[in-house]
Amino acid sequence: MYTKELLAFITVAETGSFLKAAKKLYLTPASVMNQINKLEAQAGVKLLVRTNQGARLTEAGQIIYKAGTEIIRKTNRAYEKARQTAAAGQAAIKIGTSLLRPASLLLDLWRQAESGACLGIKIIPFDDEPQSMAQMLELLGTKIDCFAGPCDSLAWAKKYNICPLGRARCCIAVPRGHRLAQKELLTWDDLDGETILLVKQGESPVVDSLRAEIAALHPQINIADSGGFYDIEVFNSCWQNGYLMEVPELWANVHPSLVTVPVKWNYTLPYGIVYAKHPAPAVQKFVELVEAFVQRQKQ
């Protein structure tokens, strides 16, 4: 057991002097000597040889010293772990939520993955509008710890950590009343003569590949650029202009005037957790727990 007598004994053994040990422990030499005498009485053997030059360990003392230092090391480690657990229990993970990046995606996983972890959750709303989105990203790690959603952005991969959770089919959002709105599955032929809204070139490798295939093999399809991040105004514009719009399946039914229809192609977008490059320990723990749960589900 880690006691003040054991600590006094180890300090004397390491300093070789009752006086030096007393100064290190902020005690009087007499108090240190009393604690050593008490420990020797409990052990039933002499642990230190007192000399005019100081103190040295007996053979029995060497055994107690080795065991005692291990006890103190393990005890200190346990204290540190307890402090970390308490700190984690007090921490609240600030999850951003918006119409296109709902917190529900992460919360559903967290409810299943939690496994007794003491982490609080705080929901922080933000706007998908491009300027607001850019400001939110600059505050990632402070005002908001993380959010979940499509994460194919090359710019994001350079500036933030991304924890993949899965892939979502690329679909086409079609205005209600459009000739394709009643289709259960679209083909390339269905898209001939239509205008498809895509995120601008260079934003997404997956969408860039889709754009290249359209240009090379389906010139009858027109492409319109969204100009930046998708937000609700982009969906409004798509409906008002009668455009089609590439969207991940995660965004099905986001807009009441658009119908999301799958397409007979192999394009999928990755989605996952976006968080700061240097997250707080509680945030890193949260991400690791969710990631581990997702990996277990895939096995």
Side-chain angles (χ1 to χ4, degrees):
M1 181 179 293
Y2 184 176
T3 64
K4 61 181 181 180
E5 290 83 11
L6 181 61
L7 179 60
F9 165 70
I10 288 175
T11 306
V12 171
E14 291 179 344
T15 60
S17 164
F18 284 91
L19 181 60
K20 290 179 181 178
K23 289 181 178 178
K24 191 170 182 178
L25 296 172
Y26 299 99
L27 299 171
T28 65
S31 178
V32 172
M33 187 169 293
N34 287 336
Q35 290 180 17
I36 299 300
N37 291 339
K38 184 177 179 180
L39 184 65
E40 287 181 329
Q42 292 171 348
V45 292
K46 205 73 172 172
L47 302 177
L48 291 167
V49 176
R50 286 80 161 169
T51 69
N52 291 333
Q53 288 74 38
R56 59 181 175 80
L57 292 170
T58 62
E59 288 187 8
Q62 291 174 3
I63 295 172
I64 298 299
Y65 173 77
K66 184 177 179 180
T69 53
E70 182 66 12
I71 289 171
I72 289 177
R73 184 183 66 80
K74 288 183 177 180
T75 303
N76 288 335
R77 182 187 295 173
Y79 286 158
E80 179 60 27
K81 187 174 181 179
R83 285 192 290 268
Q84 290 175 355
T85 300
Q90 296 168 1
I93 308 301
K94 301 183 290 293
I95 300 177
T97 188
S98 70
L99 181 64
L100 300 182
R101 297 162 182 88
S104 58
L105 178 64
L106 262 181
L107 295 177
D108 289 345
L109 290 171
W110 177 243
R111 290 187 189 101
Q112 300 173 73
E114 186 174 1
S115 301
C118 298
L119 295 175
I121 300 293
K122 187 175 183 180
I123 305 300
I124 308 293
F126 66 90
D127 196 332
D128 292 301
E129 186 269 333
Q131 185 175 356
S132 297
M133 187 72 184
Q135 291 173 348
M136 186 279 296
L137 286 167
E138 290 301 316
L139 295 173
L140 199 59
T142 55
K143 184 178 179 181
I144 293 178
D145 291 318
C146 62
F147 64 90
C151 54
D152 193 35
S153 168
L154 294 174
W156 288 6
K158 293 178 181 178
K159 295 183 66 176
Y160 313 107
N161 277 323
I162 295 176
C163 172
L165 297 177
R167 299 190 73 89
R169 286 190 300 177
C170 293
C171 299
I172 291 292
V174 181
R176 292 187 185 275
H178 191 281
R179 67 181 181 88
L180 300 177
Q182 301 304 315
K183 287 265 193 176
E184 294 185 359
L185 180 68
L186 300 177
T187 66
W188 282 111
D189 289 341
D190 291 326
L191 303 178
D192 283 350
E194 300 292 340
T195 297
I196 299 181
L197 192 70
L198 301 176
V199 295
K200 66 182 181 180
Q201 183 81 31
E203 286 288 334
S204 161
V206 172
V207 178
D208 285 351
S209 296
L210 174 58
R211 181 189 293 268
E213 182 171 357
I214 292 173
L217 302 178
H218 307 282
Q220 306 92 333
I221 300 173
N222 302 308
I223 295 176
D225 290 332
S226 69
F229 293 118
Y230 282 171
D231 64 359
I232 199 61
E233 285 306 314
V234 174
F235 284 79
N236 287 336
S237 175
C238 179
W239 170 70
Q240 290 168 351
N241 292 302
Y243 292 164
L244 308 185
M245 180 180 178
E246 179 279 321
V247 294
E249 194 172 21
L250 295 169
W251 292 350
N253 304 317
V254 162
H255 196 287
S257 297
L258 299 174
V259 179
T260 301
V261 186
V263 187
K264 193 175 181 180
W265 58 25
N266 295 319
Y267 291 102
T268 61
L269 275 171
Y271 65 91
I273 307 172
V274 183
Y275 61 110
K277 278 291 186 185
H278 304 288
V283 177
Q284 186 65 49
K285 179 179 181 180
F286 171 81
V287 172
E288 289 173 356
L289 286 170
V290 173
E291 182 179 26
F293 172 76
V294 171
Q295 292 303 318
R296 289 196 301 272
Q297 294 299 101
K298 292 179 180 179
Q299 293 174 357

